Structures are given as C-alpha cells and as structure tokens.
Amino acid sequence: MNKAKSYGKRFAAIMVQPVIAALLGLLVGAVFIRLSHENPIEIYRNMFEKSFFNPYYLTQTLTRATPIIICGIATAAAWRAGYINIGVEGQMVTGAFTATIVAIYAPLPGFLRLPISLLSGVAAGGAYATIVAVLNLKFNSSIVICTLMFNYVANYIASYLVSFHFKDSSGDGLSLMTKTIPENTHFLQFSASNTLNLGIVIAVAVVILFYFMERKTVFGYESKMTGLNPDFSRYGGVFERQVMLKTMALSGAIAALAGMCEIFGYKYRYTDNMFGSASYAWTGLMAALIADLHPVGILAASIFLAGLQVGGQAIQRTSSIPLQMATVIQSSITLFVSVKLGIKLVKKQRKKKCQDNGGQSNREGGGAA
C-alpha cells in the first residue's frame, strides 16, 4: 500500500508540469480562437465532446492514439539511454512495409502468416535502427542527424517499391499502395460499428512491458544509467557499445510495431507516405517530451494529443476554426514543456562549470602548497 502511494506521489510530481503546460497550450489556442471571432468555450466543448465524451469519437481517438503511444515508447526507449533517436518514422516505415509485403506474398500457411509477418517487421525495424548505432561506433557519426536522414531514405525506398514493384494495379492508377493484406492477418476488431481493434491492447501491453523492463531488468538499469551518467556506467562495468546496439534495436523494433498496428489493425495495406502525412512519429515524440519519458505519462499524453487531432477535425466541419488549430495547441504544449528541459540543461551546465572551477582551484591550491 505504501509502495503504491509512493509511486502515485512520484507520478503526480512528474505530471504537474505537463498538466500546467497543457492548460497554457489550451489558453494559447483560446486566444487564436477568439481572434477568429469564435467562442473558445464553445469550441473546446465541441472539440472534447467529439474526441472523448462521445462513444463513437472516443473509439476514433483511441484508434489514432494507438501508433502514437507506441511511437512515444520507441522514442523513450532510446532517449532515456542518451541516444536521441529522431528516426522513429523511418523505422516505422521499414518495419510496416516489410511486414505488409511478407503478409501478402510469402508462401506461408494461414496460421503462421500473421506471426511471421509481425516478426519480420519487428526485425526489419530493429535492424534499420541498429545501422545508425553501427555508424556511430565505427565513424563517430551523429545519431541525431543519421536517424533524421534515415527517415527520408526509408520513405523514398518504400515509395519507389510501392510505385513500381508492389503497386496494386487494380485501383485507379493514381493511388500508390500495395494490395490488401489477407483477411486472416487482420487484427481482431472489437465492433463492426467502429475502428477500435487489438492494436490498442498491444499499445497498452507495450507500455506495461517497457515499464517493467525499465525498472526490473539488468538491461533496463544499464540503459538508464548510460543515459544519466555515461562515465559512471563505464566505471561500473557497463559495456556501452552493447547497450547502444541493444537500445537502438529495441527502439526501432517498437517503432515498427507502431506501423504494423496501423496496417494490420486499421488500414490493411501500405499506402505511400501514410505515416509521414499522419505525423504519428512526431506526435509520439511530443507525447514523450510532455511526459518526461515516463511510460504511463506517454500513454496519457498520447491519448490527449490524439483527442486534440480528432476533435480538431470535428470542429473544422462545424466552425471557421481550421484543423491546424490542434497543431497550434500541440506545439504550444511542447514549447511550454521544453522550458523545463531548458532549465534542466542550464542547471546541468552551471553545475559542470562549478565542478570544473572547483577542480581548478584545488589544483592551484595543491601547486601553491
């Protein structure tokens, strides 16, 4: 009981700043809504009713939140270890496209088609992220720049393949997409009247498993310590090269799972630039930053951001407020959250400077003696 209370207090302390940032973001949105000669209270009431409080729209929100949650966890898996992975979208594309092609074309019996497809996608996403780790270890290349550039590589290769080699020619010729995956590979759908499917269960399972791994496994501890203090972790016997390779592979594999949940649970085919246009990876990054990389916080932040997007589409149809208003609110929330990160960075730099000055003073004192 005491342990549960302790955890609740820690989680509440972590979420105070994101909640304040969300309120400030909504306040910024209210200013722009008022400048558009609309009533902010009425717009927000309509937005939240058509994202959280209406059963049909709630299922739409949870469906959209599914890949965002998993992308947020993929981001946290790398960032908490000190590896700034900006390539979640590329890893998502690589894994999802691979899984789709295996599901459509691999000569597999029906009961093996879905698990083999998913395993192929996870392996492809993990391997794609590991390439960046190898480049960093061999050539000291920047993980941030490489992962960012690899987004374009993955998108353009997938675009080429779906345009020429795996294009569904039965369509109108203008849509660049694969054939539909076999019906026996579709995720379980909870109701015929909405889009909610097994993907949301997988997303929640990913959050729980990541939380367990982070706190209860040796790898989770080593990964966290590498991010907090690389020098201390090396002194303590942590093999940083192995941790980097495993962490990046894990991050890429989780990202691939996000893309596969979208395809096998909802879209049932790969469409050119389907993940870039939906901005799942970047919204997941926002959710991870808002939650300070806490897995349960990522779950809550992802659902909230997905609700803003679904509600934003609803208010666009019934008022003069454009869909981009949801993006303005999201960006404002992330901006206010980044203030905390900036304060942490300044404090860290000041502490390091004080330590350096203290060490220099000690050396000078020793020399004088």
Side-chain angles (χ1 to χ4, degrees):
M1 189 70 178
N2 291 333
K3 192 174 181 180
K5 286 183 179 179
S6 176
Y7 171 78
K9 288 180 179 178
R10 288 200 305 270
F11 180 71
I14 290 172
M15 294 304 295
V16 165
Q17 202 263 350
V19 169
I20 294 173
L23 293 175
L24 291 174
L26 292 172
L27 183 60
V28 170
V31 171
F32 284 101
I33 291 171
R34 190 62 190 141
L35 291 174
S36 301
H37 306 291
E38 294 277 0
N39 185 345
I41 296 176
E42 183 63 26
I43 292 295
Y44 280 146
R45 186 196 65 78
N46 193 19
M47 176 185 286
F48 288 114
E49 181 182 350
K50 294 185 176 178
S51 56
F52 297 111
F53 302 119
N54 180 292
Y56 172 77
Y57 287 108
L58 177 60
T59 60
Q60 292 290 105
T61 295
L62 293 176
T63 301
R64 185 168 184 83
T66 297
I68 297 174
I69 293 167
I70 303 176
C71 283
I73 296 296
T75 300
W79 283 49
R80 63 187 288 278
Y83 310 123
I84 310 302
N85 180 12
I86 309 292
V88 169
E89 183 181 306
Q91 295 144 23
M92 201 177 172
V93 169
T94 303
F97 185 78
T98 300
T100 302
I101 298 306
V102 171
I104 295 172
Y105 296 103
L108 296 168
F111 69 96
L112 284 178
R113 191 174 293 274
L114 178 59
I116 295 298
S117 299
L118 296 179
L119 288 173
S120 300
V122 166
Y128 195 64
T130 306
I131 295 173
V132 176
V134 173
L135 290 174
N136 177 266
L137 292 172
K138 293 290 185 183
F139 306 107
N140 198 30
S141 59
S142 169
I143 291 179
V144 175
I145 294 174
C146 283
T147 51
L148 180 62
M149 293 299 102
F150 270 41
N151 287 334
Y152 297 99
V153 173
N155 272 307
Y156 286 135
I157 290 176
S159 180
Y160 167 76
L161 292 174
V162 80
S163 298
F164 296 100
H165 298 283
F166 300 109
K167 180 181 177 181
D168 182 10
S169 57
S170 64
D172 57 12
L174 297 176
S175 300
L176 301 178
M177 56 189 181
T178 65
K179 296 178 181 178
T180 304
I181 60 175
E183 190 172 348
N184 60 6
T185 62
H186 294 186
F187 283 174
L188 173 68
Q189 195 164 343
F190 297 138
S191 172
S193 61
N194 57 62
T195 57
L196 196 62
N197 58 79
L198 185 64
I200 187 64
V201 177
I202 293 174
V204 173
V206 167
V207 172
I208 295 171
L209 290 173
F210 180 75
Y211 181 82
F212 176 82
M213 182 217 72
E214 182 184 38
R215 285 164 171 76
K216 301 296 182 180
T217 66
V218 174
F219 170 68
Y221 173 78
E222 291 180 343
S223 180
K224 185 176 182 179
M225 290 309 301
T226 301
L228 291 174
N229 194 327
D231 295 330
F232 174 79
S233 63
R234 282 192 293 269
Y235 180 78
V238 175
F239 295 99
E240 189 176 0
R241 294 167 64 92
Q242 292 183 13
V243 170
M244 177 187 285
L245 291 170
K246 290 178 183 179
T247 300
M248 290 301 293
L250 176 65
S251 180
I254 295 173
L257 188 59
M260 290 185 290
C261 283
E262 181 72 358
I263 288 177
F264 288 80
Y266 180 41
K267 299 293 187 182
Y268 305 130
R269 66 172 77 214
Y270 181 87
T271 305
D272 187 30
N273 197 37
M274 64 183 296
F275 300 130
S277 59
S279 299
Y280 292 129
W282 298 109
T283 308
L285 173 60
M286 288 184 186
L289 291 177
I290 290 170
D292 200 17
L293 307 183
H294 191 288
V296 180
I298 290 172
L299 175 67
S302 298
I303 294 174
F304 177 72
L305 295 179
L308 288 181
Q309 294 172 355
V310 171
Q313 293 173 346
I315 63 170
Q316 181 178 239
R317 294 191 295 267
T318 58
S319 70
S320 61
I321 304 300
L323 173 62
Q324 286 72 21
M325 181 56 65
T327 305
V328 170
I329 297 171
Q330 285 183 194
S331 302
S332 299
I333 294 171
T334 308
L335 177 63
F336 290 122
V337 167
S338 66
V339 172
K340 179 181 178 181
L341 301 177
I343 292 172
K344 280 185 177 180
L345 181 61
V346 170
K347 287 182 178 179
K348 186 176 181 180
Q349 289 176 341
R350 286 180 178 176
K351 184 177 180 181
K352 185 178 179 181
K353 187 176 179 180
C354 290
Q355 289 174 346
D356 292 342
N357 292 337
Q360 184 177 358
S361 299
N362 290 334
R363 288 193 295 270
E364 289 175 355

